[in-house]
Each structure stands twice: as C-alpha cells, then as structure tokens.
Amino acid sequence: MGIHGLSKVIGDNAKEAIKEDDIKNYFGRKVAIDASMSIYQFMIAVRQQDGQLLQNENGETTSHLMGMFYRTLRMVDNGIKPVYVFDGKPPTLKSGELAKRTQKRKEANASKEEAEEIGDQEAIDKFNRRLVKVTPEHNAECKKLLKLLGIPYVEAPCEAEAQCAALAKAGKVYAAGSEDMDTLTFGSPILLRHLTFSEAKKMPISEISLQKSLTGLGFSMAEFIDLCILLGCDYCDSIKNIGPTRAIAMIREHKNIETILENLDTKRYPIPEHWPYKEARELFLNPLVTDPTTIEIKWEAPDVEGLVEFLVRDKGFSEERVRKGCERLEKNLKTATQGRLDSFFTVKPSTTPSAGAKRKADEAAAGAKGKKPATKAAGRGRPRK
Amino acid sequence: MLEARLQTGALLKKLLEAIKELITDANFDCSDNGIALQAMDNSHVALVALLLRHDGFEPYRCDRSLALGVNLLSLSKVLRCAGNDDIITLKADDTADVLSLTFENTDNDRISEYELKLMDIDSEHLGIPDTQYDAVVSMSSAEFMRICKDLQVLSDSVQIDVTKEGVKFAAKGELGSGAVTLKQSANVDKEDDATLIELQQNVSLNFSLKYLVNFTKATPLSTRVTLSMSGEVPLLVEYKMEAGYVRYYLAPKIGEDN
C-alpha cells in the first residue's frame, strides 16, 4: 500500500518534484513496472459492465490477462519499453500488514454477504472488488503471457518495488513504474505513476523525482526514510496522533526517529508496543534485491502463434484483436526508436541571469498581484491604449 | 533595460516562423552580447538555439542581463501586425512584466505600439558540448527543404549517408522507397547551390523527417544550411544569418540493439 499520504506531503512541500506529462513523451524510455501491483489493479479495474470479473467459457478469470495485454500494448505503442518485476517472498516484517489485509478481506466478505441478503447491488460490487486476491496461478499466467509477448520480466527475491528501484538506481531503466509511493523510499530516482491506467481515463503520467522531493523537503535520504516510517509504511505501525505535518516538523527538529523518541511525550503519542522501526529502516536502506548488474533485459519479437493458442484457444480472446496487437508489437520492435536529447546533452542549472530571479522576487513582493495569473492570459498580446 | 532596434522587421517575423511550431514558450535571454534563446521541444527530441548578435541591431542597448519569458505564438501574432519593411524596436525594463514592441513605417509615417505580457518560464538549459563533427555538409537550404518534403511522402524517417562523393538521403516506407543523392560540387557560377562536404569519417544516421521538415521553416532566413553529423550524436542543422544564427539539434533514431 506504500507510504501513507506521501504523495500529498511531496505535493505540498516539493511541488516541483511532481511533473505531469503525456504518455507519448516517454517514448524510448525503459521502465521497470511493479507487476504484482499492476495485476492487482487490473483485476479490480478490468471488469464487465455488471462489475463481474472477465471470464472465459470455463469460468476462469481473464481480467489480469486482458489488462496485461492491452496496457502493455499501450505502453509499447507509445514507444515505452517495459520490463515487469514480480514480487518474491514478502519480508517477515510485512506479516503484520498482510494479516491486516487478510482481516480486511474477511470483513469485506462478511459485508458482502450482508449486502447480498438485502440485494444492494452497488455494495456487492464494492465488496467484490475488495475481495480480489491475486493467486500464484494469475501470476504464472501473466508471466506466460509476457514471455509470449517478448516482454522481459524479472522475479524479485522479495519486494517488487525494491527491485524496480534498484534497477532504476543502477541506470538499467529510466524509472520505476508503480502506484506505490514506497518505491521512492526504496531509492528510485524517478517514479512514474498512472503508467498502466487505461487510455480511456486520459490520466497523464505523473513523474516524481526523488532528488527534487528531497530538496523541496530539505531532507537527506535517511531523514526521508524516517519520515516515511512515521507517515506509515507496510512494515511497521505508525505512532498514533502523528500526522504528516507533525511528522515533518519532528524530523526537521530531531533529524531521526531515535532523537524524536527521546524527546517524545509518550502519553500523547503512545509508541506501539512492538515497533520495529529500525528493521523497517534497514529494509528500505538495504532491501533484498537481485544485483541489477547481473540482470539482462531484452525485448524480443512476440510469438504470434503461441499467443493465439494461449489467449484465443484457452482464454477466449478475439483472434483478430490478438493478431492486430501482435502486428503493433512487431512494428514497434522494428522501427528504430527516437533518441532523446537529454541523453546526449546534460541539463545544466538555469543560467538565467539575476534579472529573472529579481523578477520572481518582485513578484513575491507584489503578492497575489504577481505575474503567475498572467501565465494563462499571456496568450493575448494586448495593444496598448 | 533593453532597447533593440531592428532595421528589417521581416527578420524577426521569419525567426518566429522558424521556431514557433517547435516550441511554445521560451525565454529570450538578453545580454550586452545580443539576444539569445535556447529551448527544447516538449518531447526532448529537438532543441533550438538562436542568437541575434548586438551588431544586428542599431542601436542596441542592454545594461544588465534579462530573461524575457514569451509565449511564442502570442509574439508571432503581434508580429503579424508589423509590415515587412517596418523598423521594429523591442523594449523592456529590468523589472518589466511586458515587452513593448514598436513598429515604424518610414514610408507613410505610421507608428504602431504593442505590449506583450511576459511570463515566468522554468526552462531546462542544456549544456551543449563543442563537438568535432565527422561530417559537415553545406548545401542550399531550398534544396534541403525540398528533399525533406519529398521524402516525407514515403516515410517518417530518413537515413542520411555522407561519404566523400556526396550525401545521400534515403527513405523507405510501406508504399516504396526513395533516395536523393547530392554530389559534392563547387558550383562556381551559382555559389548558393553548391554542395560542400567536409569529411573526417563516413557517417550514416537516421532522423525523424517530421522534425527536419519543421526545421526547414527557417529556410527564408538563409540561402545556405549546414548539416553537421557524427555517429550517435545529435544532428546540428544551422542557418546562418548576417548577425546571428538559428541552430537546431535533433537526436538520432537509434537501432534496436539497445
């Protein structure tokens, strides 16, 4: 589930760290995608009109395959080179969080039965979605699909986000693609969100830069990790009554959790009985990952007949659509990818002379009357009277 | 404060036409050197760098460096109100939030004044290393435009091969293929049409035709264009003017090996 409220914290404190851009401007980028999370997303989002999971004739779920197939195609169409990363064994620290999720699922199941009794269709749908569970079979089918598509995947020894971050850190890929904000906490220089959303949503890609987030917050990486633990991560509870604002203020003042604890009024802020924050920190700093330098990522031509066999015969997809999709894949593989200038030239800090800075300072002084609103209106050059 | 008077207003009009489709907003960086602009297109594939040196203006005055953030579409709209023979004067105060433009027509004593609102633009400046290019082709700008437009019919990318014999532009698409070769020639009679090649090493690179066609909007600025290329680095397309230049950089298309 990532870090509680982190995207808002970054949005409020380091606005420049988040950039929205059209998916088509990411062509030529290699991106490591958290597969497990994406599959979960597909099973929730890719549904029939009546809210039921997509199924083939034999009643087997196909939502995950449908999502994987079309959303991957969408990325490839836009010139992105995806590599999927699957979760391995969850870290022991996550057992608490996982137990909570199982508990929630049970609750949802109970609520669903209740809803069924009174026949509240909307509620049934809602709880149905909460009941979604990605089974090992779903994962295996997705891997099979990726293999046939010629899209590479990596099996992480532990958390997929951590492996994505490691790949991005090592420069193997441009960014990590996930919705989970803890990908940043794991040290991914760039996180892309909304990458696997459907075209219909018209959701721009949101690109979050770790470095700019740190600069905006004025934190070091170690302080940032401690902040994330205070905000609430998957690996340990957070302290009651400490919200984002207080967490930031505390880290600013005390720099790390140890010092915060020394100065904490434990009556107002009861520390959870078992609070393995050190282990959680260790997990973020040195997660169990496969050394990215040993991973070879290669995009290959799709196995068209294999895909037809698997998707059409076994899973009841439309043959025409599958073949069309394969054509698109092959075409994109063949055409040379457009290079990007930023991989040749280095971005240097703005050389805009002091005048620019001064104007900004003036603007701040002028308050709301500044030039920002003019940005929109600047479309019209206005003749002088 | 900036004050720059340009005798041939048409130059500024042509400049804007040359860049406005590639980039939407940009900072005009004014210094005692002249007026410069550097901006990348949205997708970070191409970059425009232009310079109008101070000696192209009469007079030119810029006491301290200024960055004027301008929406290029708006500026080109305002410039459309200027005649080709008008004298254009640009003025901005150090703290101004408008750029004022004056168009003077000496023939019929008409003076028009416009003000354009400025904007704050956070642009990423790229450091462009000085490159020793393997191949530099100097050719007629009109010819270059024609080749790009002709080949665009066939494909969205062009392969440019330079050898000491000449330069070859080739495109291959669904409907067929085509190629144009220009032989190295020092045409003494028509200097403007000559094709000159300085070669250290043969090169062969792929580029997007869409961008190249876009660059040729600068053709009215100069009768000549130079293409500078090295393996695996961006192409430089340069149009030189009397007192300045427009340079376009374009990242090459890269094969599937990566």
Side-chain angles (χ1 to χ4, degrees):
Chain A
M1 292 292 118
I3 307 291
H4 195 75
L6 181 60
S7 60
K8 191 173 180 307
V9 165
I10 293 177
D12 290 351
N13 293 283
K15 217 168 49 202
E16 62 285 355
I18 305 179
K19 202 170 75 181
E20 290 202 336
D21 210 341
D22 231 18
I23 187 165
K24 64 171 192 280
N25 285 337
Y26 285 94
F27 63 85
R29 299 290 201 204
K30 297 174 190 171
V31 181
I33 293 164
D34 179 349
S36 309
M37 190 223 53
S38 307
I39 295 170
Y40 183 73
Q41 232 181 26
F42 297 149
M43 308 234 341
I44 293 177
V46 183
R47 300 245 164 178
Q48 291 172 15
Q49 267 159 350
D50 60 3
Q52 292 295 311
L53 280 165
L54 300 181
Q55 288 175 339
N56 67 358
E57 288 160 353
N58 306 329
E60 293 165 332
T61 308
T62 54
S63 280
H64 55 301
L65 295 173
M66 191 65 125
M68 200 77 169
F69 185 64
Y70 285 108
R71 308 279 166 91
T72 304
L73 267 183
R74 175 175 179 240
M75 280 187 273
V76 174
D77 275 341
N78 283 293
I80 296 174
K81 296 189 155 186
V83 44
Y84 283 91
V85 179
F86 285 87
D87 267 329
K89 237 173 59 191
T92 35
L93 274 183
K94 208 172 179 174
S95 55
E97 169 72 20
L98 293 179
K100 259 190 233 163
R101 288 186 199 171
T102 315
Q103 179 61 29
K104 274 198 187 137
R105 196 167 283 129
K106 253 188 211 151
E107 281 166 23
N109 202 10
S111 316
K112 180 190 148 195
E113 276 162 17
E114 227 169 81
E116 269 169 352
E117 256 169 48
I118 44 177
D120 181 350
Q121 192 56 45
E122 214 173 290
I124 295 175
D125 274 1
K126 193 170 85 186
F127 293 119
N128 252 335
R129 276 168 213 242
R130 285 200 197 157
L131 280 174
V132 164
K133 193 164 194 280
V134 179
T135 64
E137 288 77 54
H138 293 143
N139 271 331
E141 281 178 348
C142 283
K143 284 178 196 165
K144 183 173 174 193
L145 174 64
L146 287 173
K147 194 158 242 160
L148 291 169
L149 285 170
I151 304 285
Y153 65 84
V154 174
E155 301 202 35
C158 192
E159 293 275 54
E161 298 106 287
Q163 186 70 51
C164 288
L167 285 168
K169 232 192 320 193
K172 278 269 177 183
V173 295
Y174 168 75
S178 175
E179 302 310 309
D180 283 357
M181 290 297 283
D182 58 4
T183 318
L184 284 178
T185 323
F186 279 118
S188 177
I190 295 172
L191 168 65
L192 298 181
R193 301 180 90 193
H194 315 327
L195 204 55
T196 49
F197 282 21
S198 94
E199 183 76 47
K201 271 195 184 163
K202 295 257 176 283
M203 189 77 115
I205 307 293
S206 150
E207 176 175 338
I208 305 168
S209 149
L210 176 61
Q211 193 49 50
K212 285 182 185 161
S213 307
L214 294 178
T215 319
L217 284 160
F219 285 173
S220 68
M221 190 62 205
E223 287 162 5
F224 182 70
I225 291 177
D226 278 10
L227 172 71
C228 291
I229 295 173
L230 284 181
L231 288 172
C233 63
D234 288 349
Y235 309 116
C236 60
D237 291 325
S238 50
I239 305 175
K240 250 198 193 132
N241 299 333
I242 295 187
T245 324
R246 199 171 302 275
I248 293 173
M250 282 177 158
I251 297 274
R252 272 227 174 102
E253 197 185 339
H254 301 300
K255 305 294 174 206
N256 58 41
I257 295 184
E258 279 84 356
T259 328
I260 290 174
L261 289 183
E262 282 168 23
N263 296 289
L264 195 70
D265 175 2
T266 44
K267 286 217 178 71
R268 269 188 75 192
Y269 307 112
I271 300 165
E273 235 169 84
H274 176 65
W275 200 46
Y277 69 90
K278 279 190 186 147
E279 285 84 347
R281 184 193 289 157
E282 183 54 30
L283 202 68
F284 281 125
L285 277 173
N286 298 309
L288 180 62
V289 291
T290 311
D291 181 2
T293 51
T294 63
I295 298 174
E296 206 192 336
I297 305 169
K298 226 173 144 210
W299 288 267
E300 279 161 4
D303 173 357
V304 183
E305 294 315 313
L307 277 169
V308 169
E309 178 70 35
F310 178 50
L311 290 179
V312 180
R313 309 263 142 67
D314 295 357
K315 300 294 172 190
F317 279 43
S318 135
E319 178 161 353
E320 195 195 329
R321 285 194 185 187
V322 171
R323 286 195 186 273
K324 275 235 173 78
C326 291
E327 265 170 42
R328 273 153 68 192
L329 267 177
E330 277 177 337
K331 184 169 160 268
N332 282 308
L333 197 77
K334 250 191 273 160
T335 46
T337 40
Q338 172 67 55
R340 309 176 66 102
L341 278 180
D342 25 20
S343 49
F344 296 105
F345 300 154
T346 42
V347 175
K348 61 180 182 190
S350 174
T351 51
T352 314
S354 55
K358 184 164 184 302
R359 278 198 297 138
K360 265 183 198 151
D362 288 346
E363 182 193 354
K369 207 170 112 288
K371 234 176 302 134
K372 271 283 179 270
T375 320
K376 284 261 154 55
R380 275 151 284 270
R382 195 184 49 188
R384 209 193 260 166
K385 275 175 229 147
Chain B
M1 119 143 219
L2 166 82
E3 188 173 346
R5 190 173 144 103
L6 193 64
Q7 284 298 327
T8 45
L11 176 68
L12 201 56
K13 291 166 73 110
K14 286 180 197 161
L15 260 182
L16 256 287
E17 290 306 309
I19 60 173
K20 73 165 206 274
E21 264 168 60
L22 214 52
I23 42 184
T24 49
D25 308 304
N27 280 321
F28 283 90
D29 297 312
C30 312
S31 65
D32 52 4
N33 228 344
I35 299 176
L37 175 147
Q38 195 214 62
M40 260 192 292
D41 81 310
N42 267 340
S43 48
H44 292 200
V45 169
L47 178 136
V48 185
L50 70 83
L51 175 70
L52 285 169
R53 277 197 307 273
H54 63 94
D55 51 299
F57 299 96
E58 183 57 45
Y60 181 85
R61 183 184 152 205
C62 183
D63 315 326
R64 41 179 296 196
S65 302
L66 273 180
L68 305 173
V70 170
N71 176 288
L72 296 179
L73 195 61
S74 314
L75 180 58
S76 85
K77 277 183 189 156
V78 172
L79 285 173
R80 234 171 265 160
C81 311
N84 274 334
D85 303 324
D86 285 5
I87 300 169
I88 297 183
T89 310
L90 306 172
K91 264 191 229 169
D93 285 332
D94 285 348
T95 55
D97 51 12
V98 290
L99 167 70
S100 59
L101 302 112
T102 312
F103 310 145
E104 290 170 64
N105 189 315
T106 38
D107 291 344
N108 54 11
D109 295 328
R110 179 177 190 267
I111 294 177
S112 31
E113 293 176 315
Y114 293 89
E115 278 188 351
L116 185 71
K117 284 184 186 164
L118 296 176
M119 24 194 318
D120 276 324
I121 299 166
D122 290 323
S123 61
E124 287 177 325
H125 256 259
L126 286 187
I128 302 167
D130 275 329
T131 312
Q132 185 66 46
Y133 288 98
D134 288 342
V136 179
V137 179
S138 167
M139 61 187 286
S140 148
S141 63
E143 179 63 43
F144 179 59
M145 176 162 80
R146 179 171 168 204
I147 292 172
C148 292
K149 288 197 170 153
D150 285 354
L151 293 181
Q152 202 183 18
V153 177
L154 291 166
S155 169
D156 51 9
S157 59
V158 61
Q159 180 173 342
I160 306 182
D161 289 295
V162 192
T163 61
K164 65 178 188 300
E165 278 82 42
V167 52
K168 180 179 170 198
F169 300 83
K172 208 155 85 187
E174 271 165 29
L175 67 100
S177 62
V180 181
T181 308
L182 296 178
K183 289 201 179 125
Q184 159 124 267
S185 68
N187 197 332
V188 198
D189 301 335
K190 282 189 277 174
E191 239 175 68
D192 279 351
D193 293 342
T195 303
L196 306 168
I197 297 171
E198 284 170 48
L199 193 72
Q200 314 292 330
Q201 200 185 324
N202 289 0
V203 295
S204 171
L205 288 163
N206 266 299
F207 297 102
S208 153
L209 273 169
K210 187 183 91 194
Y211 281 94
L212 291 179
V213 167
N214 215 322
F215 296 169
T216 61
K217 297 215 188 305
T219 306
L221 287 165
S222 171
T223 56
R224 304 287 295 168
V225 60
T226 55
L227 314 176
S228 307
M229 286 161 279
S230 281
E232 303 282 300
V233 305
L235 159 78
L236 164 60
V237 181
E238 181 173 17
Y239 293 85
K240 274 207 174 73
M241 300 170 294
E242 241 170 78
Y245 57 75
V246 181
R247 289 182 183 154
Y248 299 97
Y249 293 87
L250 176 63
K253 289 199 169 187
I254 304 161
E256 55 200 270
D257 52 334
N258 68 329

